[in-house]
Amino acid sequence: MCGIIGVIDRTMSRMDGSSIKEALSLMDERGSGEGAGYVAYGIYPDYADCYAIHVFFDNLLEPKTRVDEILKQWGRIVHQEEIPTYEQPGLKKEHISWRYFFKPYTDLMIGTTDPDDDNVKHLVMHVNANIEGALIFSSGKNLGVFKAAGWPEDVANYFRIEDYKGYIWLAHNRYPTNTSGWWGGAHPFNLLDWSVVHNGEITSYGTNRRYVEGHGYQCTMLTDTEVVAYLFDLLGRRHGLPSEMVVEALAPPFWDEIDKMPPKEEEFMRTMRLTYGPALMNGPFAIVVATKDGIVGFTDRIKLRPLIVGENGSKLYLSSEEAAIRTMDPEVEKIYMPRAGEPVIGRVTE
Amino acid sequence: MSLGSVPLKYKISIDRDQCMKCMRCVDNCSYGVYRIEDDRIIIDSRKCTACHRCISMCPRDAIMLKERPVDYRSHPLWTVEAREDVINQARTGKIILAGMGNAVDYPIIFDRLVLDACQVTNPSIDPLREPMELRTYIGKKPSKLEFTKNNGDIELTTKLTPNLKLDTPIMVGHMSYGAISLPAQLSIAKAVAKTGTFMGTGEGGMHEAIYPYQDHSIVQIASGRFGVDIDYLERGAAIEIKVGQGAKPGIGGHLPGEKVCADVSCTRMIPLGSDAISPAPHHDIYSIEDLAQLVRSLKEATDWEKPVFVKIAAVHNVAAIAAGIARSDADAVVIDGFKGGTGAAPKVFRDNVGIPIEAAIAAVDQKLNDQGIRNEVSIIASGGIRNSGDLAKSIALGADAIYIGTAALIALGCRVCGNCYRGLCPWGIATQKPELVERIDPEVGAQNVANLIHGWTLELSELMGAAGLNSIESLRGNRERLRGYMLDQGLLDVLKVESVGA
């Protein structure tokens, strides 16, 4: 189960969160009230050059003091505040949601071509693995994840997501089956600019997890989806693969298809599979990944989970259900279903 | 005072009402259990090894074999075997030899690992109706993809080094011509060619009869360098340097002169009838740097066109050793566990030295992963892999592929009697005696071994489908698909596997 929906306005016109809340709530049957979440890109224009670090704190004493210390050690906190929340009768508050706007010290992460991102990635891994009572669940620039254990409408109202305006939105309604529902386990999962929503299970999780752990990532969210964010960060950011190539690595064609490709293409795909075999994802899944330049949606290689695409002018929608897309945009024109493993990409044009 | 003999182990009897005196038992027993006296079949049970050749050849099912009841005073410490070994050594003053694998009753870790299966939320996959990919490439892999972008076109700059392409992750390990007979080796060669996989030649060189299957052969270099010349290297699809062997870590190989017939002598490039001794140390390898040099020398000699593997026995510090090998330009590290078979080993080694393959695979896989190089080198596991369950668990613990040895021999008729070192194998496998060797028809043998590989491959597909996996890459190192049952926490930590119920 689980319901996902994502939208991008390719002209980067910003939309508020009210319609995606409605669309996600339409798919309540795909959830169980144990997790929902939203991510929006372009919501913090005043701090666009800072990393927006969202943290769940169990309390504001020791864990926050420790996070403050480590952030100050690795960079400068430009601004910080509690994320505004609004009490909901159906949602039990379990954590304090906090946000920092943070600029890392570039010269602290040497020997890398991407020192700021690597610095923040290191901080996220360190805090989540070592500081009890603190969990960084969003760490990109000019974007923010808002999630909790609850129904879509309650979570949306709790964070009042209609107050935020973004040019990309992803949302997720969770029906947890392999791990318990908790705030950290709700989707989207995020690292730096990558955000992921996922419907299904990743049966290759053990292999994928081991692979990313071998490259400096630590899985702390107790669920399979977070590994997708790390795979995109490793292959997309650190190895420089474009999104469609990352999808080809994660959901590659079958060998039978590769064998029939023209020689150059065959060599390419064979090299890709051999290089990124441990990143190949198995199991039933429909996934939408966002980064600041666009979104990509894809399913597993035999399409065991649904994914629907809708287009309307500059807007591209991806969802588990057509009805959700129509709720969000009754004027949507083109609706279709991509083939198994085929990436659907929406890029910003400006 | 003489110590006398120890009691016989097996008791053979014949149902005389059933027996039609066809003499097949007499003809088939190379150990001399049966003889004819005055038109009567006489049995000398003392000579029996429980090889079952007579039983399987008897047309009337008239032969019965029983393990003899213990007629010593029972004692928990001084077992029958312990006492008999002392008696035998008191009499001979020699090292006790043994064939096949470790015969001590250590717990089998494979049997305490259980696999996962899908239920409601995650559909299992039916391999009969959906693609199931077992194709496995053994060899070096790039750490990342390198490419250039030209006007939106992606041009690959990464060039793969040669890899072996396996249709199934099951290979047949190294059993040399000399240790086993030519028809046995030929059966295996034909079987791996049929099933799209590979076999090891062992350290005995390559007989001409194997040439048609050389593209499915991995040639081996042990310290004795038997049969090694440039022609041999070029014939192999890959080259394997044998440093250690699971059944006898730290010691070398020894083919007795009696097994060195003219053909073996020619193939091994040694004098007829001479003992072929392959000591443990390679006398040009005294460090990891030396090993790296040999790996590179072999690659240079074969124009960098062949993967080079390094085989070691699973021992205490196997992970660190394997990590060193992985950085030596070797394309694969072969780990042989302490239940691996052999033609002959000192019993004390076979039963006491080394560690189980399950722990070794997991430790090596984890170490290479910790160092961020796991996908750049392949792991081949061997030593006591008995069925497709063991195979699936080996891969889930981190192996890319496995070698089978004893299982392939059992498919050729071997009944694991453990007397391989005597050269009298009644099944024609571990012998060079012409009258015994001819008992294997390579066509039939090949079909049997191919059937075994095919059967395991089907079962592996089913196991993967049940776990919701359609690609072998996603089973490799996937500890989430395993749980430990009645394993202690220390071992669970090494295996990186959670307990059942977790």
Side-chain angles (χ1 to χ4, degrees), chain B residues 100-124:
Chain B
M100 303 310 299
N102 191 320
V104 177
D105 187 22
Y106 292 104
I108 298 165
I109 301 171
F110 280 133
D111 292 344
R112 296 189 180 196
L113 288 169
V114 287
L115 289 157
D116 193 17
C118 294
Q119 297 299 315
V120 177
T121 61
N122 173 15
S124 45

Side-chain angles (χ1 to χ4, degrees), chain A residues 203-266:
Chain A
T203 49
S204 56
Y205 171 62
T207 302
N208 304 139
R209 174 181 179 161
R210 197 171 119 277
Y211 180 57
V212 296
E213 285 179 347
H215 291 83
Y217 297 85
Q218 285 174 277
C219 296
T220 49
M221 306 278 181
L222 313 176
T223 177
D224 50 4
T225 308
E226 76 173 313
V227 80
V228 183
Y230 304 156
L231 285 170
F232 266 85
D233 189 57
L234 177 63
L235 272 57
R237 180 176 67 86
R238 288 170 61 189
H239 291 188
L241 270 55
S243 290
E244 55 267 49
M245 276 173 67
V246 178
V247 172
E248 278 173 339
L250 267 45
F254 286 96
W255 284 118
D256 284 351
E257 297 166 45
I258 295 173
D259 290 344
K260 290 177 197 149
M261 290 175 177
K264 198 172 168 187
E265 211 181 327
E266 186 273 342

Side-chain angles (χ1 to χ4, degrees), chain B residues 128-179:
Chain B
L128 296 175
R129 290 164 186 81
E130 298 284 353
M132 192 59 64
E133 300 191 306
L134 301 184
R135 185 187 295 187
T136 301
Y137 284 89
I138 301 291
K140 272 266 190 278
K141 314 285 191 299
S143 61
K144 57 184 281 201
L145 207 61
E146 304 281 356
F147 55 89
T148 55
K149 290 184 201 166
N150 295 322
N151 299 326
D153 285 344
I154 303 279
E155 285 287 333
L156 203 59
T157 51
T158 299
K159 289 289 169 210
L160 288 174
T161 54
N163 271 244
L164 290 190
K165 180 184 152 208
L166 280 56
D167 290 342
T168 176
I170 307 161
M171 297 189 282
V172 181
H174 290 261
M175 292 176 283
S176 69
Y177 176 41

Side-chain angles (χ1 to χ4, degrees), chain B residues 411-455:
Chain B
L412 288 173
C414 167
R415 301 294 168 101
V416 197
C417 77
N419 283 260
C420 331
Y421 59 98
R422 291 167 64 184
L424 291 171
C425 176
W427 291 89
I429 301 167
T431 176
Q432 300 303 331
K433 287 189 176 303
E435 68 278 16
L436 300 176
V437 162
E438 68 184 16
R439 291 180 177 180
I440 297 184
D441 177 340
E443 293 302 328
V444 177
Q447 195 56 54
N448 290 342
V449 176
N451 282 346
L452 177 75
I453 293 172
H454 186 61

Side-chain angles (χ1 to χ4, degrees), chain A residues 177 201 203-204 206-207 210 214 239-240 254-255 259 264 267 270 273-276 280 282 284 301 305, chain B residues 121-122 133 135 137 142 144-145 147 155 159 365 369 372 374-375 468-471 473-474 476 478:
Chain A
T177 47
E201 280 183 36
T203 49
S204 56
T207 302
R210 197 171 119 277
H239 291 188
F254 286 96
W255 284 118
D259 290 344
K264 198 172 168 187
E267 185 193 357
R270 184 163 38 89
R273 274 195 78 164
L274 264 63
T275 308
Y276 292 118
L280 187 154
N282 229 306
R301 306 189 304 162
R305 289 290 185 273
Chain B
T121 61
N122 173 15
E133 300 191 306
R135 185 187 295 187
Y137 284 89
K144 57 184 281 201
L145 207 61
F147 55 89
E155 285 287 333
K159 289 289 169 210
D365 176 68
N369 201 50
R374 170 62 189 93
N375 192 45
L469 301 170
N470 59 18
S471 157
E473 289 107 312
S474 300
R476 192 175 306 137
N478 195 342

Side-chain angles (χ1 to χ4, degrees), chain B residues 166-372:
Chain B
L166 280 56
D167 290 342
T168 176
I170 307 161
M171 297 189 282
V172 181
H174 290 261
M175 292 176 283
S176 69
Y177 176 41
I180 62 172
S181 65
L182 189 59
Q185 206 181 47
L186 194 53
S187 299
I188 293 168
K190 286 170 184 274
V192 294
K194 270 181 200 222
T195 49
T197 183
F198 294 81
M199 64 168 281
T201 61
E203 61 165 323
M206 190 189 285
H207 190 276
E208 277 183 16
I210 307 294
Y211 289 176
Y213 312 98
Q214 62 188 27
D215 292 344
H216 292 271
S217 299
I218 301 160
V219 296
Q220 193 181 54
I221 297 182
S223 67
R225 306 288 199 261
F226 300 120
V228 176
D229 61 9
I230 189 65
D231 181 55
Y232 174 66
L233 297 180
E234 283 176 351
R235 284 186 188 283
I239 301 168
E240 181 168 312
I241 302 167
K242 174 191 155 186
V243 174
Q245 185 181 345
K248 40 184 174 178
I251 62 169
H254 180 182
L255 183 70
E258 306 89 77
K259 277 183 152 181
V260 182
C261 60
D263 232 11
V264 170
S265 135
C266 190
T267 308
R268 284 213 176 197
M269 304 179 193
I270 55 171
L272 186 69
S274 68
D275 282 21
I277 294 175
S278 199
H282 287 242
H283 292 302
D284 53 358
I285 304 177
Y286 284 92
S287 64
I288 198 80
E289 299 88 339
D290 292 345
L291 174 68
Q293 281 186 14
L294 181 59
V295 170
R296 284 196 287 274
S297 303
L298 292 167
K299 290 194 169 197
E300 191 66 33
T302 50
D303 294 329
W304 296 79
E305 286 175 352
K306 294 179 195 302
V308 174
F309 307 164
V310 176
K311 174 175 165 174
I312 52 171
V315 287
H316 301 178
N317 201 23
V318 65
I321 300 161
I325 291 169
R327 294 176 185 283
S328 75
D329 273 344
D331 298 84
V333 53
V334 183
I335 320 163
D336 197 19
F338 82 153
K339 290 185 188 285
T342 180
K347 190 171 168 227
V348 66
F349 272 79
R350 190 196 66 173
D351 293 348
N352 295 287
V353 185
I355 65 169
I357 191 60
E358 301 92 322
I361 301 168
V364 169
D365 176 68
Q366 189 60 40
K367 174 74 85 178
L368 295 178
N369 201 50
D370 290 345
Q371 297 186 0

